Each structure stands twice: as structure tokens, then as C-alpha cells.
Amino acid sequence: MARIFGFKSKVQSAGLDSLDDYRDYDGLEEISGLSQLYSPEQDATVHVRDIADVLQEMGKITAEQLSEIRQVQQQTNKDICKIIAEKKFAEEPDISTARADLHGLEFRKIEPDQVDKQVLTRLKLEYIKSNRIMPIAVNGENLVVATSRPGDLFVIEDVRRQTQMSLEMVVCMDSDIDKVCELLSNKEVDYNLDELISDMTDVEIVQDEVEDSQDLEKMAGQSPVIKFVNYVISNAVREGASDIHIEPKEKCMRTRNRIDGVLFDMMQSPLKMHPAIVSRIKIMANLDISERRLPQDGKIKVSIGGRAIDLRVSTLPTNYGEKVVIRILDSRSILRGLEQLGMESDIQDCFVEQVKLPHGIFLVTGPTGSGKSTTLYSALAQMDGDRLNISTVEDPVEYELDFCNQVQINDKIGLDFGSALRSLLRQDPDVIMIGEIRDNETARIAVQAALTGHLVLSTLHTNDAASSVTRLVDIGIDAYLIAASLNGILAQRLVRKICPKCKEIYQVSEHMRKYVERAGVDPGQLYHGAGCDHCRNSGYLGRVGIYEMLIVDEVFRDMINKDSSVNNMRRVFQESGSRSLFDDGIMKIRQGLTTIEEVLRVTEVYGRKENEAFVENFEPGQ
């Protein structure tokens, strides 16, 4: 109180009537303690440096983006990291790096093989998952702990109490913790395959003239059968397979997984196991186990390592029994950023511009399994689901998306693409995604929607971008309507990437050398995978896309109206100077991502002549 009264006497002795008059007083610095006792701007708030500031200092976001983040935060009171992620202003590694900088810690990318499994077990798996913190190593007397929430001091203190050790903190990404937890979850169930098969061969169904579905159901519920099916599914997910093929042969049951687009033999089992395995899968998919003469389709929802996985089941009668194919649908693998699809920067920029257009049709083309759905979902993820009415019509709905409305086709009740689209157009949509344009009615409604102010995204099964125009004409759409409604076409394929663990320079064969040399690639700088345990001795691990983009400009519109034949469309596309699928594949070879054999494997679908014409006319640096 003495200090306050002393300050007041100094104000009065300075000849100021009130505290408000001190602002213009030149001798303000003589009044000691003023800044601690009085602030003229009562509404001003002290800004605390946060992740957005760090990201700007790192050069990851601009001043305009920072201003937008602050505005959204003020309006919605959302977590700042969530705003940055939703706006796609920065990727997860950048956000985590900024978070580490903010707390004065090290950011570290954690791979499962870098984690000491004995140390990891000091905390329970559920605790690690829920609190996003995990022990990874011991450094002297300190326990090294990785967390994606370095600001959660209560959890950090709780870990110190549980482990009774001093902690050395590092910051990691949420996805790193998920990968380690998934690996730990998968290893918690350690199946002995030989024992499972031995147990199952003791169980045999007796088939009379009329098969007893109750015996099938009883057998499918026995423990060895359940464990075997669980093993097949969890092993396929762990291997990164997209499909599981269970095939009855004359003397055995063969199980194969499709990994990176290629089928690999996983095991051969006694044929007597087959009926029980198929019955178990049918029960899981709510199919009729007594019906073995007709194909059936169903879906299964499972959780593997705390991760929700959808399985699409298809059965088909063959001469030795029912073949089962299980498609593994993992939403985590399909909702990728555009930068992860493998598009070159010019094609990616063009693609982003196309999906921002207010109306028109944009097509993604390619054969089954070429990644068309991934590309379309990535396009939808770029859109503002809060501001736009985004709807999809699919057969079937493979991935459930929160940011749009999805319609499942059901031909049994008359809900086909045509009727679904007609109803959808009365729902005030902004963006419509059609799973596939496969008939005249679907194509006609898509064109009508595009011409009436809607953006339509869809897929088409054609060999390249240019032939898509001819395909629409063949379906029955007039050329002038195609020219008026079509914005662009993206053709794509998936090529296998060279395994990074066994990547090495190699000598290409003489047969392939002519392609490489004419394409301007140095034969002495070609890479391939020698084969290792990491890639199942295939030399490849993972896949990347190759693309060709056709933009329908005025020149192309005129040619569609004049002559929409395949040869003419391809000629106009080549004259436009756009890269073909093979061109883009050559760029991936130069980058050391894939091999010439792999590019030719996927592009020969639409004819070796196009490839040979390319290499004959190719100029290095094109």
C-alpha cells in the first residue's frame, strides 16, 4: 500500500489530474514503478508464442495463413493444431517439429524397429494408446520417452511415477505411436500355424447327399477354425495385402495375398479344412452357409491392433468348391494427401485446379486396381465439407467418409445409379462423386448435372485419357454434350517401387536398353531391388502412381465435335505436348523410384506401339 500511495503522490506532484493524463507526460520515465501498476490499454491481451508462430518462423506457413488461423481460432475456439491440419497448411511432421521446438525438446521420427520392446512393456498398451506416450529406450539412468503431447505434464509425471525412473523426453508423431502399438497388438496373438492346421485336420465334415447346414455352423464355430481365419486376416493386414484369395484345388487349399498388385503364395493347407474355413467366413459376413451353388457377397467389420478394418467378401462356386476373395479396405491407406500419390508437381497443381471448378465433369480412368478410388477420395478430402454439400453414389460404398453423404447402390430393390442420381439432384448437391459411369443412363444424368451447375467426379474403365472421350460416345452421349460438359481426364496406373532396403545399381538387359537409351536415361544409373526378406525377395516394396492429364480446352472441344475417334483423340493429345503414362513412368525411373520393366508392364496394356512411338521421338530432358 505504501508503494501505491508513493506512486500517487508522484503523479500529483507532476501536475497530472488523473491517471489517464499521464499518457502524454514527457517525464513519465521519472515515475518509478508505473509500468508495473498501470496499463492504459485494458483490452489488450498478452500473446503467448504458439505452434503457429513456430511454423511461420520455420517458413512452413505464410503470414496470410497465420492470420487465417488466428481468425478461425477466435471464431471457433478450436485447437490450433486441429485448425492447421484441417486447413492443410502443414503436414504432421512439420507440426510435430514445431511442437518440439515450442517445448525445447528434440523431434524424432520413431520407427517400430527402433523401439526396445522390453522397455515398451513398462507401460500398458491401452495406456500408451490413450495418453500418446511410450517408452522407447534406456539412456544411462534415464528412460527415453516419446510423446506427441509434450504439454501434458500430468501424464509425464504419472509415467515417471509408474516407471520410477528419470525421463528423457522426445517428441514424435501420433502416427509413430500408432505404428508401434499396431505392431505390438499383432504380436500379442502368436499363432502356431502348424498346430492350427494339425488341430483342424482332426475336424472333418461328413457330407451326405443333403448337406447339413447345422454341422457346417457347428464346425465353423470351433476354436481351431476361428483361430485359423483370424490368423489369415491379421497376417494379410500386417503384410499390407489388398486382397486374400482362398482357393480350393484338387488336393489342397491354397491361400494367396495380393501385395503391391501381385499375388504371393502364403500357404497350402489340407483340402479337408476348406469347408470349415469358408463357413466361418460366411458366418462373419452374414451370408447363407447352406448356399454353395450361387455366388454371394458380404462385408465384415473387424478391429486389428485397435484399427478398424472393413472386409468385403465374395464367394464363387468352382469345380473343387467355393473360392473366397476378401478385399481389405483400410480407410487409413486410402485417405492420403495428394503429395503421397506420386503426382508430379505440374499434374498435381492442374488436378487441384480441376477439382476446384464449380461445375463440369472430371474423370479418373484406368483398369481395376489402378488407384482410381484413392485419387477421387483424395480429391474430395481437399474440399471444404462444412461449406459444400458433397455426395457420392457408389457400388459398393467401400470407405465411410465423415465429410460427405454416401449412397449405396442396391439393384435388388431397384436403387441403381440412375435412380440414385435423379434423387440426389433434388438434394441440392454441390459436388457429386459417381463410383463408375458404366451405362447410358448414368452418363446422361452426369452430363445433365454438370451442365446445370454441379461438379461431377467419376471413374471410367479405359486404357488412357484420350480414349475416354470415345468411350462416352460409344455409351451413347452426343459429342457436343461431351465437349460442353467435360473439364478434364486423369489416366493412371500403379507401379511397384524399388525396395529401399535392397536397392542397387544394375545392368539392364539388352532388350530393355533400347528403351532406356532412347528415353535419354543413363543405363549406368538404373536401379533395381536385389531382393531381401523385407520385400519377400521381390525387389519391390509399395507402389506409386504414374499419370497422364488431359485438359479439355477449346482446341480439344472443337476436335471432339469434329471427330471423336480414338486415333484422332490420341493424336490431339500428343500434339498438345502433355506427358503420357509412359512419359511419367520414365520420370519415375530417373528418380530411382521404379524400373523400366515395371513401367512397361503396366503401360503395355494399351499397346506396345504407343511406347515405341514415344521412345522413337523422345528428346532427352522432355
Side-chain angles (χ1 to χ4, degrees):
M1 289 295 291
R3 185 178 180 185
I4 295 175
F5 285 120
F7 165 70
K8 184 176 180 181
S9 64
K10 287 186 179 182
V11 170
Q12 292 172 346
S13 64
L16 305 179
D17 294 332
S18 67
L19 292 178
D20 292 333
D21 294 335
Y22 87 98
R23 297 177 184 175
D24 300 324
Y25 176 54
D26 292 336
L28 183 63
E29 66 277 2
E30 298 178 5
I31 304 178
S32 62
L34 183 62
S35 60
Q36 290 86 359
L37 296 172
Y38 186 78
S39 175
E41 298 180 7
Q42 297 292 339
D43 295 332
T45 58
V46 178
H47 174 67
V48 179
R49 182 170 177 261
D50 59 17
I51 287 180
D53 295 314
V54 179
L55 286 169
Q56 188 187 26
E57 293 166 9
M58 293 167 55
K60 298 299 181 181
I61 63 174
T62 64
E64 291 77 12
Q65 290 173 330
L66 179 62
S67 176
E68 185 176 346
I69 291 168
R70 299 285 182 228
Q71 185 177 4
V72 173
Q73 188 183 30
Q74 188 175 9
Q75 292 173 350
T76 64
N77 203 28
K78 278 186 179 180
D79 177 70
I80 196 163
C81 292
K82 190 173 183 181
I83 297 171
I84 295 169
E86 288 176 351
K87 294 287 184 181
K88 295 182 173 57
F89 287 160
E91 298 298 324
E92 186 183 9
D94 295 329
I95 296 174
S96 297
T97 302
R99 185 180 286 117
D101 182 277
L102 192 65
H103 290 84
L105 298 173
E106 174 195 353
F107 168 69
R108 191 180 298 180
K109 182 77 174 67
I110 308 295
E111 296 294 340
D113 56 4
Q114 298 172 346
V115 177
D116 186 334
K117 304 301 186 296
Q118 296 298 322
V119 172
L120 189 65
T121 57
R122 296 186 181 217
L123 294 178
K124 292 183 179 180
L125 181 62
E126 289 305 317
Y127 186 89
I128 293 173
K129 286 181 181 178
S130 60
N131 293 288
R132 318 309 292 170
I133 189 168
M134 62 181 180
I136 58 174
V138 174
N139 183 15
E141 297 182 356
N142 295 332
L143 180 66
V144 183
V145 177
T147 179
S148 60
R149 301 174 184 173
D152 199 337
L153 301 180
F154 292 104
V155 170
I156 294 172
E157 184 59 34
D158 188 44
V159 171
R160 185 180 289 111
R161 180 188 58 79
Q162 290 188 50
T163 59
Q164 295 295 305
M165 291 185 70
S166 298
L167 303 186
E168 182 179 321
M169 304 300 302
V170 298
V171 176
C172 68
M173 297 185 292
D174 272 325
S175 56
D176 293 340
I177 296 176
D178 290 335
K179 281 194 293 186
V180 173
C181 289
E182 179 184 343
L183 184 66
L184 189 64
S185 299
N186 289 337
K187 289 191 174 181
E188 284 181 344
V189 183
D190 188 14
Y191 294 113
N192 187 318
L193 189 57
D194 292 334
E195 288 183 6
L196 283 178
I197 292 177
S198 176
D199 290 342
M200 287 194 59
T201 52
D202 295 335
V203 182
E204 186 174 358
I205 187 168
V206 179
Q207 295 184 352
D208 298 323
E209 292 183 3
V210 179
E211 293 170 347
D212 190 348
S213 62
Q214 290 184 350
D215 288 344
L216 281 169
E217 187 171 357
K218 179 180 177 182
M219 192 175 139
Q222 295 185 4
S223 179
V225 182
I226 295 173
K227 288 182 178 179
F228 184 85
V229 173
N230 290 349
Y231 167 79
V232 169
I233 295 172
S234 62
N235 182 62
V237 173
R238 188 165 54 248
E239 291 280 341
S242 60
D243 300 89
I244 305 169
H245 291 243
I246 300 174
E247 305 165 325
K249 299 300 178 183
E250 184 178 4
K251 296 181 180 179
C252 66
M253 180 184 77
R254 181 167 67 163
T255 303
R256 298 190 290 171
N257 289 348
R258 186 177 295 279
I259 303 172
D260 295 336
V262 178
L263 283 169
F264 289 87
D265 273 316
M266 304 308 293
M267 71 183 83
Q268 290 190 359
S269 314
L271 186 61
K272 63 173 70 175
M273 295 170 51
H274 180 258
I277 299 300
V278 174
S279 298
R280 172 61 186 167
I281 295 171
K282 283 184 174 180
I283 289 172
M284 293 171 69
N286 290 320
L287 301 179
D288 185 356
I289 63 172
S290 64
E291 180 55 76
R292 308 173 104 186
R293 300 166 300 172
L294 296 174
Q296 297 187 67
D297 296 299
K299 291 187 75 172
I300 306 171
K301 286 184 178 291
V302 297
S303 178
I304 298 176
R307 176 169 137 213
I309 304 287
D310 286 338
L311 307 175
R312 197 173 77 197
V313 178
S314 173
T315 67
L316 180 70
T318 67
N319 53 338
Y320 293 114
E322 288 180 284
K323 175 181 176 179
V324 179
V325 175
I326 303 174
R327 169 69 58 87
I328 300 171
L329 305 171
D330 182 4
S331 60
R332 202 172 67 179
S333 67
I334 198 164
L335 286 178
R336 301 180 177 180
L338 291 179
E339 65 283 347
Q340 294 179 289
L341 299 181
M343 291 183 184
E344 299 299 326
S345 57
D346 56 340
I347 291 182
Q348 181 177 323
D349 293 342
C350 189
F351 179 72
V352 171
E353 289 177 4
Q354 288 295 308
V355 298
K356 285 182 178 179
L357 294 175
H359 53 78
I361 298 176
F362 185 82
L363 298 175
V364 179
T365 74
T368 301
S370 60
K372 300 187 298 297
S373 296
T374 301
T375 302
L376 282 179
Y377 284 133
S378 297
L380 294 179
Q382 300 296 310
M383 301 176 182
D384 187 351
D386 295 331
R387 193 171 55 86
L388 297 174
N389 179 12
I390 305 172
S391 301
T392 74
V393 182
E394 304 169 72
D395 183 22
V397 173
E398 295 185 351
Y399 300 92
E400 296 179 2
L401 307 175
D402 294 333
F403 51 82
C404 63
N405 309 294
Q406 296 171 278
V407 179
Q408 166 78 54
I409 295 302
N410 189 343
D411 290 324
K412 293 180 181 179
I413 60 173
L415 183 61
D416 55 15
F417 274 106
S419 59
L421 284 171
R422 281 193 296 271
S423 299
L424 192 59
L425 287 174
R426 294 192 288 270
Q427 292 282 315
D428 186 32
D430 296 300
V431 180
I432 303 171
M433 191 199 89
I434 305 172
E436 180 188 350
I437 293 179
R438 58 177 67 162
D439 54 39
N440 174 269
E441 184 180 19
T442 305
R444 182 172 50 79
I445 298 174
V447 169
Q448 177 187 350
L451 293 175
T452 53
H454 306 88
L455 179 63
V456 179
L457 309 177
S458 187
T459 68
L460 203 61
H461 282 223
T462 59
N463 290 331
D464 58 355
S467 60
S468 301
V469 176
T470 309
R471 172 66 176 152
L472 290 175
V473 172
D474 292 341
I475 287 177
I477 305 301
D478 293 330
Y480 75 92
L481 291 175
I482 298 172
S485 60
L486 191 61
N487 291 339
I489 306 166
L490 179 73
Q492 68 179 72
R493 299 286 191 280
L494 292 177
V495 294
R496 290 180 292 171
K497 295 167 64 177
I498 299 171
C499 174
K501 300 285 186 180
C502 57
K503 184 177 180 180
E504 63 179 17
I505 293 179
Y506 80 116
Q507 292 296 321
V508 69
S509 66
E510 289 299 323
H511 173 65
M512 293 296 176
R513 181 178 289 271
K514 65 176 182 178
Y515 286 99
V516 175
E517 290 178 343
R518 291 175 184 173
V521 180
D522 183 0
Q525 294 296 318
L526 290 178
Y527 293 88
H528 81 153
C532 63
D533 293 338
H534 196 61
C535 61
R536 296 167 293 277
N537 291 312
S538 66
Y540 297 99
L541 186 67
R543 289 189 289 179
V544 66
I546 59 174
Y547 304 89
E548 65 179 27
M549 176 74 79
L550 187 158
I551 300 301
V552 183
D553 54 16
E554 292 306 317
V555 174
F556 215 94
R557 295 185 200 281
D558 291 339
M559 294 309 301
I560 292 175
N561 285 318
K562 292 177 182 177
D563 180 6
S564 57
S565 64
V566 175
N567 290 336
N568 189 51
M569 292 294 99
R570 285 178 177 165
R571 180 184 60 80
V572 177
F573 176 74
Q574 291 172 358
E575 290 175 353
S576 70
S578 301
R579 288 197 306 273
S580 69
L581 288 168
F582 187 71
D583 303 5
D584 202 49
I586 291 295
M587 295 188 71
K588 299 295 189 296
I589 294 171
R590 282 184 176 143
Q591 296 165 12
L593 292 176
T594 189
T595 63
I596 182 67
E597 293 88 353
E598 186 66 9
V599 171
L600 288 174
R601 179 181 70 86
V602 301
T603 58
E604 280 181 339
V605 172
Y606 64 100
R608 171 92 56 133
K609 290 183 179 179
E610 283 80 359
N611 298 341
E612 291 180 345
F614 162 75
V615 295
E616 291 289 347
N617 301 315
F618 190 90
E619 296 180 4
Q622 182 173 326

